[in-house]
Amino acid sequence: MRIDVLTIFPQLFETIFNWGVISRALEKEIIVFEAVDIRDFTDDRHRTTDDYPFGGGSGLVMKAEPILRAVASRFTENSRPYIIYPSPQGKVFDNKKALELSKLNHITFICGRYEGIDERVMSVVDEELSIGDFVLSGGEVPAILMIEAISRFIPGVIGDMESVINDSFFSELLDHPHYTRPREVNGIEVPEVLLSGNHEMIEIQRRVESLRRTIERRPDIFLKHEFDLSDKKALLMLFEELRKDDE
Ligand code: SAM
């Protein structure tokens, strides 16, 4: 997959993708990434990318032409990228959207700054995506966040695809708690079942914990969940545990 970001701060991406899972995907060329400097597409001596808003008011607006030229530079003879504008006004990005976008060949993110970008750039934008109901100073962090989440679904990026499948939201439930050595930390023991070697019981218990967490933390997700047989078995065990706690 090709991913590029159009930004006035290309340096921001230099260190972040030098580490971890994404750096390995770049090394293996599973992902080809480019941070494109919008200033390279300006046509004045000062490389100006922003200007005052028509109609007055506070703040600056990113100019349309340099962005549109930067976008055009991403087109090839036969294809155009899917163009995303990270924006607090967009639909909220989630795991489903990450999975959907991971199937594309080429994505371009346009990173806004200041009050945002000139509205006329929207004529080339395919989708506005928000990372939540808060406002950041720029689209670079949202783009990094989305690239991380999208990359996890690209085959070969995460060595063990099972861990992606078991992550929160993929199965539409939150992930179960995880433990590693030692067996005891500050008097808190690893749950006995995880040491039992009984894989069927371990799976059921993990499902119980996933359901418990989802009910406690995200009842909205729990209410939408479609229960399969293993969920139903786990739910019965959870009810039984809760009944015993009540007695
Ligand atoms: N005036 C804009 C508004 O109220 O919708 C906010 C502009 S914000 C200060 C500057 C840039 O940061 C935006 O153009 C966008 O690219 C990015 N940004 C800020 N918050 C975001 C969020 N929650 N999700 C995605 N992008 C965001």
Side-chain angles (χ1 to χ4, degrees):
M1 179 192 261
R2 253 181 86 192
I3 301 179
D4 21 60
V5 292
L6 313 183
T7 170
I8 56 168
F9 296 123
Q11 308 86 333
L12 273 177
F13 295 86
E14 274 166 22
T15 45
I16 196 89
F17 291 151
N18 271 345
W19 306 97
V21 163
I22 297 206
S23 80
R24 285 197 297 279
L26 296 178
E27 267 167 35
K28 290 195 248 166
E29 293 184 9
I30 300 170
I31 298 173
V32 177
F33 175 76
E34 201 180 335
V36 177
D37 193 342
I38 297 171
R39 289 189 200 283
D40 292 342
F41 296 88
T42 53
D43 54 8
D44 66 317
R45 210 156 52 88
H46 302 289
R47 291 160 52 88
T48 313
T49 55
D50 52 84
D51 208 337
Y52 294 99
F54 274 124
S58 60
L60 293 163
V61 177
M62 288 186 80
K63 288 165 74 62
E65 297 107 309
I67 297 176
L68 289 172
R69 284 186 212 117
V71 167
S73 77
R74 305 291 95 199
F75 284 46
T76 63
E77 217 170 284
N78 316 313
S79 69
R80 76 187 283 286
Y82 191 75
I83 299 165
I84 297 175
Y85 173 44
S87 154
Q89 300 181 22
K91 189 175 155 211
V92 177
F93 177 81
D94 61 11
N95 221 34
K96 269 203 188 98
K97 180 54 76 179
L99 178 62
E100 185 188 316
L101 294 173
S102 72
K103 294 175 181 149
L104 300 176
N105 293 326
H106 186 184
I107 303 178
T108 297
F109 290 90
I110 303 175
C111 303
R113 282 267 153 187
Y114 318 112
E115 288 307 312
I117 61 183
D118 187 306
E119 191 63 22
R120 287 161 294 184
V121 172
M122 295 309 145
S123 61
V124 297
V125 167
D126 293 302
E127 193 162 14
E128 282 185 51
L129 287 174
S130 166
I131 59 161
D133 290 345
F134 45 81
V135 177
L136 301 175
S137 305
E140 286 79 6
V141 169
I144 290 167
L145 181 151
M146 292 188 228
I147 293 168
E148 276 253 6
I150 293 166
S151 307
R152 294 177 63 78
F153 290 117
I154 301 175
V157 170
I158 303 275
D160 180 4
M161 213 46 193
E162 201 182 328
S163 74
V164 175
I165 289 166
N166 289 333
D167 276 340
S168 298
F169 307 115
F170 191 85
S171 65
E172 289 161 359
L173 291 174
L174 299 185
D175 197 5
H176 56 78
H178 299 269
Y179 301 87
T180 185
R181 284 184 287 189
R183 280 184 179 204
E184 187 244 287
V185 174
N186 290 345
I188 306 170
E189 298 266 358
V190 169
E192 199 60 42
V193 64
L194 299 181
L195 309 171
S196 68
N198 182 336
H199 295 293
E200 196 185 342
M201 270 315 292
I202 291 173
E203 275 320 303
I204 294 179
Q205 195 53 41
R206 284 181 166 160
R207 190 44 75 113
V208 168
E209 292 309 322
S210 272
L211 285 162
R212 189 200 307 276
R213 285 202 158 182
T214 313
I215 293 167
E216 284 170 1
R217 299 176 187 195
R218 295 293 303 271
D220 56 319
I221 292 178
F222 177 76
L223 289 174
K224 279 191 251 157
H225 184 64
E226 281 176 23
F227 298 96
D228 63 16
L229 189 62
S230 60
D231 287 328
K232 286 175 188 161
K233 275 189 201 162
L235 263 181
L236 285 175
M237 280 184 65
L238 183 58
F239 290 149
E240 187 56 23
E241 269 181 37
L242 294 172
R243 195 183 56 79
K244 279 188 191 145
D245 287 351
D246 261 4
E247 281 173 7

